[in-house]
Amino acid sequence: RVLLAKAVVSTQSTGEKEAREIAYQAELEKQRIEKEKEIAHMRALQERAKDQQAEKDALRAKRIQEEVERDQRKKDKEAAVKKAQTEAQLRRAREQQVKMQEHFLAIEAQRERQEFERVLAVQQQGQVQEEVKDRNARSKRLQHADEVRKQIKEKETELIHARQMFFEEGIKLDQEAQERRRRLDEIKKKKLEELQGAGVPSKYVNEVSRRAMKPQTSLITH
């Protein structure tokens, strides 16, 4: 009976040990599965955060690009308006100059015609002394006319110089516009490199690159 009891106890102990082992292994397997789930969950969260950050970076790059392009369009428009205003001023000044010149020439022609008629009358009347005085007066008037023509010529020279300065300013504005476009391209390139360095997916970087590299057209013409 004692041996039978020992055998029963031994069998029960072995069964309990196996049960504990099975329970232990089951617990380890459960912990392994939970850990894998947690790792998968963390990875999913990381991927989601990465995608959200990429979208934020793409939107930020787009806003920067749009702001730079708006500034560029504004500057080009202002330059074009300034050029048009300067050309209009030069055109009006030239028209006024032509009218003034025609007016002075008409006055001078009338004076010369009147002078000729008066001198002829004086000669016919034999008033030699009066003729001398008239000639002196005519000489003064001619001198005055020469001074007027000289002033007109100087005004023409000033207008030509102003127009030359205007076109030189236009060239300078174009050069500045080209420099701004070059700096803009550098900024775009740097932003794209930052996006790539930040691990933004290629499809977002390519889309930003496609939009950012559209050519800019200057409004300033020669």
Side-chain angles (χ1 to χ4, degrees):
R1 290 181 179 177
V2 172
L3 291 175
L4 180 58
K6 289 182 178 180
V8 172
V9 170
S10 177
T11 300
Q12 291 177 348
S13 177
T14 300
E16 292 176 355
K17 184 176 181 181
E18 290 177 353
R20 286 196 300 272
E21 182 65 22
I22 291 171
Y24 175 71
Q25 292 298 329
E27 182 63 26
L28 290 179
E29 180 65 15
K30 181 180 178 182
Q31 292 178 1
R32 183 185 68 79
I33 293 172
E34 292 296 330
K35 187 173 182 180
E36 288 180 354
K37 288 182 179 180
E38 183 178 356
I39 291 173
H41 179 66
M42 292 299 295
R43 286 178 179 173
L45 290 177
Q46 290 175 353
E47 288 297 326
R48 188 182 305 166
K50 187 176 181 180
D51 290 341
Q52 291 176 349
Q53 185 62 39
E55 291 178 359
K56 290 180 180 178
D57 291 339
L59 289 174
R60 183 170 62 253
K62 180 181 178 182
R63 285 195 297 269
I64 292 173
Q65 176 194 354
E66 290 175 349
E67 181 178 356
V68 172
E69 290 176 351
R70 280 196 302 271
D71 291 341
Q72 181 65 39
R73 288 194 297 270
K74 181 180 178 182
K75 291 177 181 177
D76 290 343
K77 184 177 180 181
E78 291 174 351
V81 171
K82 181 179 179 181
K83 179 180 178 182
Q85 290 175 345
T86 303
E87 287 181 342
Q89 290 175 355
L90 288 173
R91 185 168 57 254
R92 288 194 297 270
R94 178 60 179 170
E95 292 173 354
Q96 183 179 4
Q97 176 195 359
V98 171
K99 289 180 180 179
M100 289 176 59
Q101 188 174 10
E102 291 175 350
H103 176 68
F104 283 125
L105 290 175
I107 292 175
E108 184 62 25
Q110 183 179 4
R111 285 178 177 176
E112 289 181 355
R113 183 172 59 256
Q114 291 175 351
E115 180 67 15
F116 173 78
E117 293 174 354
R118 195 181 65 80
V119 170
L120 181 60
V122 170
Q123 289 177 347
Q124 291 174 351
Q125 295 174 5
Q127 298 177 355
V128 177
Q129 185 178 0
E130 187 68 19
E131 179 182 356
V132 172
K133 291 175 61 177
D134 291 340
R135 286 178 179 176
N136 292 335
R138 181 175 181 274
S139 177
K140 291 180 180 180
R141 287 193 294 272
L142 290 175
Q143 182 178 359
H144 174 70
D146 288 339
E147 291 176 356
V148 171
R149 283 191 288 269
K150 182 179 178 182
Q151 292 175 1
I152 293 174
K153 185 68 175 179
E154 290 174 351
K155 187 64 176 178
E156 277 186 351
T157 302
E158 291 176 1
L159 289 173
I160 292 172
H161 178 70
R163 186 170 181 82
Q164 181 65 29
M165 293 294 293
F166 165 74
F167 282 112
E168 290 177 358
E169 178 67 15
I171 293 173
K172 181 180 178 183
L173 290 174
D174 267 356
Q175 292 174 346
E176 291 176 353
Q178 292 174 2
E179 178 63 19
R180 288 194 297 270
R181 286 194 292 272
R182 184 187 66 78
R183 290 198 300 266
L184 176 59
D185 289 339
E186 291 179 355
I187 292 172
K188 292 175 180 178
K189 182 178 179 183
K190 183 178 179 182
K191 289 299 180 180
L192 290 173
E193 291 175 351
E194 289 177 357
L195 292 176
Q196 291 175 343
V200 176
S202 298
K203 63 179 183 180
Y204 294 109
V205 175
N206 292 336
E207 178 64 16
V208 173
S209 176
R210 183 180 67 80
R211 293 181 181 178
M213 293 306 172
K214 287 183 179 178
Q216 299 283 325
T217 302
S218 175
L219 295 177
I220 299 177
T221 57
H222 295 295

